[in-house]
């Protein structure tokens, strides 16, 4: 069996010269630019923009990494475009907020159309055989995925596989959350998106990762590495090793291997470049337990209400912006407004209706929503 290759390259800061050197070294370890592009091909870079944010907050793929990957392959003859579909707002406005548009303009990269899409058929998918994907992705010759290493409420960790969810335009992402509420089913859908798009190269920004209440409101944590691979399952497994997380706890790992997308078994992965052990951050704040298995009917409701973490609002931090209510895929039956005795209005969760997609926690701009495990869940998982 041919092993998957993951290049691990140290990079201690976002200094542009250092990042370009590190990206070049990582690509060389995987065979050089010629292994990924031919002159004249249109390549789309897919950073993780979530919802545009200051690069120093470690929410988004850093502009310095984005620029380095683009310039390296532009020099190899590729025409570079880029895009991401955020949860709300246009692709271009979020690119501007994250500093990528400014860098892209300077470097001659073009914004691709991630605001509109077309339906595609994917007969070999494990689960979802029809998708709408962004025109920018479908009109390109190839995609390079540039994920950010962060924690995530639904999938423990967001990395190479989950990054392609941003190739689904705008509000359609919410429909997937509503239809595929079970995290394992949702994760299988993420794998299906990847087996259709098949990005040619994944370059993970692990220079400053995010721990704790990710993917938007966690804490920046220095890891000082870039990870590069053609195999997103292997890349995510190596990222898990770095943050001391069992890759089996990430629900894309098993369907990813089953689909043929890649492998999460370390014996089938060649780690190139740095020795990984000295780089491991053992106390990285991430939930180290399996995502509860799928269930149905009363068992599912019991697990949801008594064991599965629930989103909880800190009234003191809430600015009553309404983003969580606007973005909840279930709607007002799961999350509506309530008036406090002080007269302040804040959102209120209805846990029986809430499907635990954690979009509200992910998108709250104030970090006012955290995930809290009910007592039984804490006993069950010894948290
Ligand atoms: S309340 Fe939050 S976690 Fe529950 S369904 Fe709505 S967005 Fe998802
Ligand atoms: S998104 Fe956050 S700050 Fe805005 S209303 Fe919801 S809880 Fe409050």
């Amino acid at each position: 069996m041919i092993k998957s290759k993951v290049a691990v390259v140290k990079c201690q800061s976002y200094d542009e010269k250092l990042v370009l050197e590190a990206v070049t070294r990582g690509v060389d370890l995987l065979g050089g630019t010629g292994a990924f592009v031919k002159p004249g091909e249109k390549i789309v870079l897919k950073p993780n923009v979530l919802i545009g944010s200051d690069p120093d907050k470690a929410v988004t793929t850093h502009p310095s990494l984005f620029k380095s990957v683009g310039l390296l392959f532009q020099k190899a003859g590729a025409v570079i475009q880029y895009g991401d579909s955020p949860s709300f707002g246009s692709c271009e406005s979020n690119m501007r907020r994250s500093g990528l548009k400014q860098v892209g303009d300077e470097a001659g990269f073009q914004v691709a159309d991630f605001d509109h899409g077309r339906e595609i058929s994917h007969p070999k998918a494990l689960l979802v055989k029809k998708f709408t994907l962004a025109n920018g992705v479908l009109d390109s010759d190839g995609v390079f995925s540039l994920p950010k290493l962060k924690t995530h409420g639904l999938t423990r960790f967001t990395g190479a596989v989950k990054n392609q969810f941003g190739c689904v335009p705008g509000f359609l992402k919410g429909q997937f959350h509503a239809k595929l509420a079970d995290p394992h089913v949702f994760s299988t859908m993420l794998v299906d998106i990847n087996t259709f798009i098949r990005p040619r190269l994944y370059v993970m920004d692990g220079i400053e990762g995010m721990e704790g209440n990710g993917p938007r409101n966690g804490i920046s944590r220095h890891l000082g590495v870039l990870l590069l691979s053609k195999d997103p399952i292997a890349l995510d497994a190596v990222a898990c090793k770095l943050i001391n997380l069992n890759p089996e706890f990430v629900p894309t790992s098993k369907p990813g291997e089953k689909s043929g997308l890649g492998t999460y078994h370390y014996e089938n992965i060649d780690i190139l470049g740095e020795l990984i052990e000295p780089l491991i951050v053992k106390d990285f704040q991430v939930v180290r337990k399996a995502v509860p298995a799928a269930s149905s009917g009363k068992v599912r409701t019991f697990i949801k209400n008594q064991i599965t973490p629930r989103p909880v609002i800190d009234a003191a931090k809430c600015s009553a912006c309404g983003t969580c209510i606007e973005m909840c895929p279930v709607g007002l039956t799961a999350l509506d407004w309530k008036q406090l005795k002080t007269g302040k209005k804040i959102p209120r969760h209805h846990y029986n209706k809430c499907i635990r997609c954690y979009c509200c926690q992910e998108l709250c701009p104030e970090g006012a929503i955290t995930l809290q495990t009910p007592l039984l869940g804490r006993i069950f998982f010894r948290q």
Side-chain angles (χ1 to χ4, degrees):
M1 181 184 173
I2 298 172
K3 290 186 172 186
S4 288
K5 293 181 172 57
V6 178
V8 177
V9 184
K10 274 197 217 170
C11 189
Q12 293 302 337
S13 81
Y14 288 112
D15 174 271
E16 285 189 9
K17 186 168 170 288
L18 291 182
V19 176
L20 182 57
E21 281 171 9
V23 170
T24 306
R25 177 153 183 258
V27 170
D28 284 347
L29 285 166
L30 297 175
T33 53
F36 297 96
V37 292
K38 293 192 191 79
E41 284 188 315
K42 194 195 290 180
I43 296 296
V44 167
L45 306 183
K46 162 62 184 78
N48 181 344
V49 173
L50 183 65
I51 169 164
S53 170
D54 181 338
D56 291 341
K57 293 192 170 161
V59 175
T60 57
T61 304
H62 198 280
S64 174
L65 176 67
F66 163 77
K67 183 176 178 183
S68 296
V69 175
L71 286 179
L72 182 67
F73 285 96
Q74 192 180 55
K75 205 170 154 198
V79 176
I80 302 296
Q81 297 194 334
Y82 62 100
D84 188 11
S85 173
S87 300
F88 55 89
S90 70
C91 168
E92 187 159 332
S93 64
N94 283 285
M95 289 293 162
R96 196 176 295 285
R97 273 212 293 275
S98 55
L100 299 179
K101 175 79 169 64
Q102 297 80 332
V103 164
D105 285 351
E106 275 168 34
F109 309 158
Q110 304 151 6
V111 178
D113 178 11
F114 273 64
D115 296 327
H116 311 92
R118 310 194 285 277
E119 190 171 86
I120 58 90
S121 152
H122 186 16
K124 292 190 177 162
L126 291 178
L127 179 73
V128 182
K129 298 185 192 295
K130 277 201 167 107
F131 285 103
T132 296
L133 292 176
N135 289 332
V137 169
L138 298 176
D139 295 338
S140 72
D141 293 307
V143 172
F144 289 1
S145 178
L146 310 180
K148 181 90 175 167
L149 193 163
K150 296 185 290 181
T151 49
H152 196 280
L154 188 69
T155 53
R156 301 286 174 253
F157 149 89
T158 170
V161 176
K162 186 153 189 318
N163 192 36
Q164 274 56 255
F165 194 41
C167 297
V168 175
F171 72 96
L172 294 172
K173 287 193 284 297
Q175 291 183 359
F176 275 120
H177 279 294
K179 281 187 203 154
L180 310 176
D182 181 279
H184 294 273
V185 176
F186 184 83
S187 296
T188 303
M189 176 274 297
L190 295 175
V191 166
D192 287 337
I193 293 180
N194 278 267
T195 54
F196 183 83
I197 298 176
R198 295 248 173 214
R200 294 182 187 183
L201 172 66
Y202 299 78
V203 183
M204 176 177 277
D205 178 357
I207 297 175
E208 299 293 333
M210 177 180 281
E211 63 181 357
N213 192 27
R216 188 178 182 188
N217 292 300
I219 301 160
S220 172
R221 182 82 187 253
H222 183 74
L223 294 159
V225 286
L226 299 179
L227 305 181
L228 300 90
S229 187
K230 292 179 183 175
D231 175 345
I233 306 297
L235 188 148
D236 282 350
V238 173
C240 285
K241 201 176 191 57
L242 273 175
I243 60 172
N244 190 25
L245 175 67
N246 182 341
E248 293 198 355
F249 293 167
V250 178
T252 46
S253 294
K254 288 181 182 174
E257 189 156 295
K258 185 177 170 196
S259 72
L261 188 61
T263 179
Y264 66 92
H265 285 97
Y266 294 122
E267 64 271 24
N268 297 327
I269 301 172
D270 263 343
I271 297 179
L272 311 175
E274 303 294 334
L275 278 177
I276 191 108
E277 280 70 20
L279 302 173
I280 294 172
V281 180
K282 281 199 173 142
D283 63 348
F284 192 91
Q285 285 179 51
V286 59
V287 179
R288 293 186 177 84
K289 65 178 186 184
V291 174
S295 54
S296 60
K298 287 181 181 165
V299 177
R300 184 190 187 112
T301 306
F302 177 82
I303 289 176
K304 186 177 82 168
N305 287 332
Q306 304 300 329
I307 294 177
T308 307
R310 55 176 60 174
V312 175
I313 295 176
D314 179 342
K317 285 187 180 172
C318 174
S319 63
C321 69
T323 302
C324 54
I325 292 180
E326 190 186 336
M327 299 312 298
C328 174
V330 175
L332 290 172
T333 54
L335 189 57
D336 64 1
W337 292 102
K338 77 169 175 187
Q339 191 140 18
L340 300 179
K341 285 180 185 156
T342 57
K344 181 180 176 182
K345 264 186 159 183
I346 66 161
R348 161 181 55 189
H349 286 96
H350 299 279
Y351 292 118
N352 269 337
K353 298 290 179 191
C354 165
I355 58 173
R356 310 298 195 269
C357 70
Y358 307 133
C359 290
C360 51
Q361 174 259 347
E362 179 170 333
L363 296 170
C364 172
E366 309 295 345
I369 305 180
T370 51
L371 303 184
Q372 296 183 13
T373 307
L375 179 64
L376 203 59
R378 294 203 297 277
I379 294 168
F380 193 66
F381 288 108
R382 292 200 185 89
Q383 277 197 329

